[in-house]
Amino acid sequence: MVLDPEIAMIRLGYGLSPDSPQAVDADLLLASVATARPDADAIRMADIDARRQVENDLAAAARKPGSDKPTQRKSARMRRETIWMAQHAFQVRVARAVADPVGFGERLVQFWSDHFTVAGGNRFQSLIAAAHVDEAIRPHLGGRFSDLMFAAETHPRMLTYLNQSGSVGPNSAIARRRKDDDLGLNENLAREMIELHSLGVGGDYTQRDVRQLARLLTGLSYRAGQDRAFRPAMAEPGADTVLGVTYGGNGQASLNDIRAVIDDLAMHPDTARHLARKLAVHFVSDDPPADLIDRLAQTYRQADGDLSVVYVALAEAPELAAGFRQKARQPFDFVVAALRALGMRGGDLRQLDRRDSNGRLLRPLQTMGQRWAMPRGPDGWPESAESWITPQGLAARIDWSMRHPAKLLGDLPDPRDFLRTALGSTASQSLQWAVPKAESPREGVAIVLASADFNRR
Amino acid sequence: MLSRRLFLKSSALIGCSAAAHPLMSSISFASAPGENRLVVIILRGAMDGLDAFQPYGDPMLRQLRRKLSQGPDQGATDLDGFFALHPALSPLMPLWRSGELAFAPAVSTPYRDKRSHFDGQGLLEAGIPSEDDLLARKDGWLNRLLQQMPGARAQTAYAIGLDDMQILDGPAPARSWAPEAGFNLSGQAQRLLEHVYHDDPLFQAAGDQAMEIAGAGMQVEQEDPGPARDARMLARFAADRLNGETRIASFSISGWDSHANQSRIIGRSLQRLAEAIITLRDTLGPNWGRTTVLAMTEFGRTVRENGTGGTDHGTGGAMLMAGGAIRGGRAYGEWPGLAEGDLYAGRDLMPMRDIRAYAAWAMRDLYGIPRDALERDVFPGLEMGDNPGVWA
């Protein structure tokens, strides 16, 4: 099925660019999903752990009495470089989103990493959060949801972010050995696995299911510098019953039980509905039609959780065109869409120096209300247009539009041409009226970028 | 999950669309919530209260601290023969003398033992008793205050700055702005943008307010340079709004996490706090007399200096109070002492009172909020105890 290329690029991707393809169909969208797999720049846990070791050794050497200045400087430099690595991971995210001709795959990276929210924090937490995207999200974008979910839930950053690493079975070997330490269950990951990641808060489950799942998850843990492995000594012995199905209890707690419960959670009918609704809210409308949700949920169930089949159903839904401009672009989407429309290429973005990358991309996102990798809670970024188009949020977008394009490009395009590149045939009458009346190319381009037309999708 | 989402910053839009309605703005003056003004400054990163207000009269202090908090011998200003003010706060001495500066040396939220900045600030802003509810609880106590205030409207309260101010999040409409978000537009560009936004109510409302504020001379460029510029900018914006219809403002000052080389770190941050308060006073003019400033931090720091000239995460700490509306020139609350047996967990200053009790008494005395509403709705689980008499 051939799609309206403008609708598809703007609603499912990061908007139009001078390189926009003339025609878009389902195959091109799925090719974009495949393109979003991890690339050579991917951040990997193995590299992070190795780096942490070197950094710790250097720091220890620098702290020793009588350590020389060069050692101290080297230690400080290494810490700064680690911070920069996490910032650079953001730069690569921008570059990849700008480079993908269609952008659907990179939008899905954003969508699923928000669905399985983890936050950054200190320099290593930020780096591990970037690894979560590269190691857990990107490899499974177009496959079965259960594979994506298993990878996302068991990644080190999820285990630390939602406190799973500190969850110990009250009758586990470790808890019995260390009675004075008051070790116990932490339900955080178990709750969010059901409430946010699978069935949804309205799903058919009880606190007892959360508690049982928390018991089943014990043993899943990450500590810096140690191999990521299931630790049977932390696991609560005995079988656990989650949503009526009993797992484990054969005396040998293992990761297989956790794999099994995730497979079942992934194929629960409430999960189909929850994911269908989230996709519809993100790509179609803050208040999506019930019929669309029903269809996507049914597709998910019939396809046995194969996400690519659901993506095609979403792309071919008539609601996609009917709901045009009902969504506001989030700050990251806005900046990427602007860079694409301005004709910047992935390589241009990768080559930005640290000062420009942080000053023109990373920090402005914070002013727009989206401090990179730091959503408020595990439910991720808000979806509603009202959450983003606040007075200060819009002011920050206007400010960015006025200041940065000229600095990034050197030569700005003619605003009238830019209007066509950025919005194609979708520009409103009032914007077409206003843009040619701007006093300078800089202001003309800024009015396009700051317009409601461009900030909605 | 819906309720979490609903809370998040939904208030700004409701606020400005209501304000844009001509009838709304003309009838609203009848029930404006009084003249008293409250500014809450969140000090993110855990301020060392023992360094800001140095208990040099406690003989244990010199044993616990060799370089830091040396009292009047090292440039701090004596306050009352027991406490001395950190040199970087000395611009506030005139306020101390005129009874417009006070502090509570040993307070804390109910947060204990984990000492995470993230959870500590969450608890401070949510105003709730336990961090177990933090993931579900996304609203803040200033928003719950607004829900209790008769006649409160969107412009009654402002969250200011780039930091997320959970303290004002919630169902009651409130406004927000970041002085950094200013922009420079030519008159023509502004008219064209207004035209472009005209048919989109969401963009029109946000754009109108943005242009009103940005166009009213609040641009970043106009603030004098200097290390405390960002704090002055926040304070000036707050004061300008408080001189109008706003009665409650909140912003944060970061940079207190002084694990190493504390004297440099805290000196800079205290300077920013002092300049913010002086800017509030100068800009508020006569309204300063009806103003209360509460500067609160998520927890205190260890009583002992560590091996790198700093202090680590602790429990009890100090709250600063300022403004013409307070009875200042004195320390409030009990002093726990610094001897081994006086400490919390053998390492931290023992908190003598829930910091929320001071905030609750401020709300009762400034806005007449009933005690049962404060203990039940605004600060669930709080026992306010006796009136400390800061405002009485």
Side-chain angles (χ1 to χ4, degrees):
Chain A
M1 182 172 159
V2 176
L3 308 168
D4 178 326
E6 289 181 339
I7 297 287
M9 301 282 297
I10 292 172
R11 300 221 79 193
L12 299 175
Y14 282 106
L16 307 180
S17 85
D19 307 325
S20 291
Q22 294 303 304
V24 179
D25 60 13
D27 287 343
L28 198 60
L29 289 174
L30 293 180
S32 164
V33 177
T35 306
R37 293 186 59 80
D39 68 1
D41 284 318
I43 308 278
R44 307 251 174 221
M45 279 312 298
D47 301 333
I48 296 172
D49 283 337
R51 183 176 184 85
R52 194 199 310 254
Q53 190 57 53
V54 177
E55 213 189 286
N56 286 347
D57 293 347
L58 258 178
R63 268 200 308 271
K64 275 215 182 86
S67 73
D68 54 3
K69 282 274 174 221
T71 308
Q72 291 167 8
R73 272 200 296 271
K74 201 171 165 195
S75 170
R77 192 169 59 234
M78 183 134 190
R79 287 167 60 96
R80 282 198 304 275
E81 280 171 8
T82 307
I83 295 171
W84 167 231
M85 281 173 72
Q87 292 168 342
H88 185 69
F90 160 77
Q91 190 176 346
V92 170
R93 275 283 277 284
V94 175
R96 293 195 69 173
V98 169
D100 184 338
V102 188
F104 183 50
E106 293 295 322
R107 284 281 306 282
L108 289 171
V109 170
Q110 193 73 2
F111 174 80
W112 289 116
S113 50
D114 185 64
H115 180 77
F116 294 108
T117 287
V118 295
N122 67 32
R123 62 194 187 285
F124 279 108
Q125 287 166 336
S126 300
L127 217 57
I128 297 174
H132 184 259
V133 175
D134 284 338
E135 291 183 323
I137 306 293
R138 286 188 181 275
H140 302 290
L141 283 181
R144 281 164 49 95
F145 177 70
S146 55
D147 294 331
L148 173 63
M149 183 168 170
F150 181 76
E153 309 288 17
T154 57
H155 191 273
R157 188 62 194 124
M158 186 65 83
L159 300 182
T160 50
Y161 177 60
L162 291 180
N163 315 111
Q164 179 60 33
S165 286
S167 184
V168 179
N171 300 300
S172 65
I174 285 187
R176 276 182 282 127
R177 209 162 52 231
R178 293 168 46 193
K179 280 204 173 61
D180 297 341
D181 289 356
D182 206 20
L183 301 174
L185 285 183
N186 187 305
E187 293 180 4
N188 226 345
L189 178 63
R191 176 174 300 104
E192 304 305 13
M193 267 175 80
I194 298 180
E195 179 186 319
L196 294 176
H197 302 160
S198 60
L199 276 68
V201 71
D204 186 14
Y205 68 94
T206 65
Q207 169 59 27
R208 196 185 142 69
D209 293 311
V210 171
R211 191 81 189 163
Q212 289 278 302
L213 181 56
R215 285 162 50 98
L216 186 61
L217 292 179
T218 50
L220 203 53
S221 173
Y222 168 77
R223 252 165 294 157
Q226 295 183 13
D227 277 351
R228 179 180 7 156
F230 186 77
R231 287 185 187 62
M234 292 174 77
E236 180 72 357
D240 303 297
T241 304
V242 182
L243 299 167
V245 181
T246 302
Y247 303 88
N250 57 2
Q252 189 63 53
S254 82
L255 202 53
N256 289 339
D257 299 329
I258 294 168
R259 174 81 229 196
V261 76
I262 286 178
D263 284 345
D264 289 344
L265 286 173
M267 284 322 297
H268 194 284
D270 289 345
T271 301
R273 221 185 142 67
H274 180 55
L275 298 180
R277 183 181 164 79
K278 278 197 78 166
L279 281 162
V281 165
H282 186 77
F283 285 98
V284 177
S285 163
D286 293 346
D287 187 16
D291 189 44
L292 172 66
I293 300 172
D294 291 343
R295 278 188 349 259
L296 292 177
Q298 196 186 4
T299 305
Y300 179 92
R301 286 195 305 273
Q302 285 169 353
D304 212 17
D306 183 339
L307 292 172
S308 289
V309 182
V310 181
Y311 300 153
V312 173
L314 172 70
E316 294 180 344
E319 289 88 347
L320 204 61
F324 189 52
R325 299 231 162 102
Q326 288 186 15
K327 295 289 299 180
R329 279 178 168 150
Q330 293 182 13
F332 178 81
D333 312 18
F334 163 73
V335 168
V336 170
L339 298 170
R340 280 172 60 89
L342 288 164
M344 292 194 78
R345 308 242 153 83
D348 303 333
L349 272 311
R350 283 175 193 259
Q351 280 161 21
L352 284 186
D353 65 20
R354 179 176 182 172
R355 195 160 154 261
D356 276 348
S357 176
N358 288 349
R360 304 195 189 284
L361 307 176
L362 191 60
R363 275 198 299 277
L365 281 192
Q366 187 182 353
T367 321
M368 294 174 203
Q370 195 167 37
R371 187 175 166 203
W372 183 248
M374 292 300 282
R376 165 87 62 79
D379 52 336
W381 298 112
E383 281 286 346
S384 75
E386 290 81 3
S387 302
W388 298 109
I389 308 304
T390 60
Q392 74 270 32
L394 183 57
R397 294 179 191 224
I398 296 171
D399 187 46
W400 192 91
S401 306
M402 291 293 294
R403 283 206 282 154
H404 295 300
K407 297 284 192 230
L408 286 164
L409 254 61
D411 269 334
L412 283 173
D414 182 304
R416 292 161 297 186
D417 298 337
F418 181 66
L419 177 62
R420 271 189 299 280
T421 312
L423 293 164
S425 68
T426 73
S428 64
Q429 288 293 324
S430 64
L431 190 59
Q432 293 183 41
W433 178 89
V435 169
K437 294 176 182 59
E439 284 177 351
S440 66
R442 188 173 68 95
E443 292 192 346
V445 166
I447 286 166
V448 175
L449 292 176
S451 69
D453 289 355
F454 190 80
N455 283 275
R456 288 185 177 276
R457 57 169 168 82
Chain B
M1 205 43 34
L2 260 183
S3 59
R4 275 187 193 170
R5 287 256 153 74
L6 204 64
F7 280 163
L8 279 171
K9 295 182 181 160
S10 60
S11 39
L13 170 76
I14 302 165
C16 37
S17 45
H21 195 283
L23 285 175
M24 291 290 286
S25 38
S26 53
I27 54 170
S28 52
F29 286 102
S31 55
E35 283 299 313
N36 287 326
R37 290 154 173 88
L38 176 63
V39 181
V40 178
I41 306 177
I42 303 289
L43 308 176
R44 295 184 195 277
M47 176 182 76
D48 183 21
L50 291 177
D51 208 2
F53 303 96
Q54 303 170 4
Y56 75 100
D58 192 314
M60 287 302 294
L61 185 67
R62 291 235 165 170
Q63 295 185 36
L64 295 162
R65 298 191 167 196
R66 301 292 163 130
K67 292 191 196 127
L68 302 170
S69 317
Q70 295 299 298
D73 291 351
Q74 296 288 330
T77 314
D78 174 60
L79 292 172
D80 58 1
F82 188 84
F83 290 102
L85 195 63
H86 189 284
L89 287 178
S90 58
L92 300 181
M93 272 314 287
L95 300 186
W96 178 264
R97 291 192 202 99
S98 60
E100 296 176 328
L101 176 71
F103 65 101
V107 293
S108 79
T109 70
Y111 186 55
R112 290 292 181 279
D113 300 330
K114 304 243 181 63
R115 303 183 178 89
S116 135
H117 292 300
F118 188 68
D119 289 349
Q121 289 168 30
L123 218 62
L124 176 63
E125 294 184 77
I128 56 177
S130 164
E131 68 271 23
D132 295 340
D133 301 323
L134 274 181
L135 289 178
R137 187 103 210 196
K138 299 291 180 186
D139 61 334
W141 54 267
L142 279 182
N143 193 280
R144 298 199 293 276
L145 164 65
L146 287 177
Q147 296 166 44
Q148 300 286 337
M149 280 172 83
R153 294 174 300 126
Q155 52 267 58
T156 302
Y158 251 97
I160 305 163
L162 293 181
D163 286 315
D164 205 359
M165 299 302 291
Q166 180 182 350
I167 194 170
L168 251 171
D169 278 344
R175 286 202 171 166
S176 57
W177 182 255
E180 294 89 337
F183 47 74
N184 276 314
L185 283 182
S186 70
Q188 171 74 344
Q190 178 166 337
R191 277 189 296 278
L192 292 173
L193 267 182
E194 282 166 356
H195 176 80
V196 166
Y197 292 153
H198 183 266
D199 297 329
D200 188 316
L202 177 63
F203 280 78
Q204 189 194 25
D208 279 356
Q209 203 191 328
M211 289 184 208
E212 179 215 323
I213 299 172
M218 276 315 301
Q219 273 98 334
V220 177
E221 289 76 16
Q222 298 177 356
E223 194 70 40
D224 293 335
R229 180 171 184 263
D230 57 340
R232 276 187 270 116
M233 231 156 61
L234 293 166
R236 193 176 313 283
F237 182 80
D240 282 340
R241 295 287 129 179
L242 291 163
N243 284 335
E245 289 177 55
T246 298
R247 292 295 171 266
I248 292 166
S250 189
F251 56 87
S252 52
I253 296 179
S254 305
W256 304 91
D257 198 16
S258 48
H259 289 281
N261 202 357
Q262 172 163 313
S263 56
R264 187 173 52 86
I265 292 170
I266 200 173
R268 221 164 33 198
S269 297
L270 288 172
Q271 183 194 350
R272 294 163 72 218
L273 176 59
E275 290 197 28
I277 291 171
I278 296 296
T279 303
L280 281 170
R281 183 199 62 183
D282 293 349
T283 316
L284 278 164
N287 290 326
W288 175 251
R290 306 293 297 268
T291 297
T292 296
V293 180
L294 302 179
M296 311 167 117
T297 195
E298 64 261 34
F299 41 70
R301 308 190 70 86
T302 49
V303 294
R304 287 182 194 82
E305 211 172 290
N306 64 21
T308 51
T311 53
D312 299 314
H313 299 182
T315 307
M319 173 175 71
L320 178 149
M321 297 172 266
I326 69 163
R327 283 172 44 191
R330 49 180 285 199
Y332 280 91
E334 291 175 75
W335 175 246
L338 294 172
E340 189 71 30
D342 299 331
L343 302 180
Y344 179 82
R347 48 171 275 162
D348 302 340
L349 186 67
M350 180 71 74
M352 301 304 282
R353 197 165 188 186
D354 192 325
I355 194 170
R356 300 178 300 160
Y358 285 94
W361 281 107
M363 294 173 183
R364 186 185 161 281
D365 290 346
L366 297 174
Y367 303 112
I369 312 294
R371 185 171 177 149
D372 63 329
L374 289 166
E375 293 181 337
R376 186 188 58 225
D377 301 322
V378 179
F379 292 118
L382 173 71
E383 285 178 26
M384 287 170 66
D386 294 337
N387 193 333
V390 181
W391 300 271

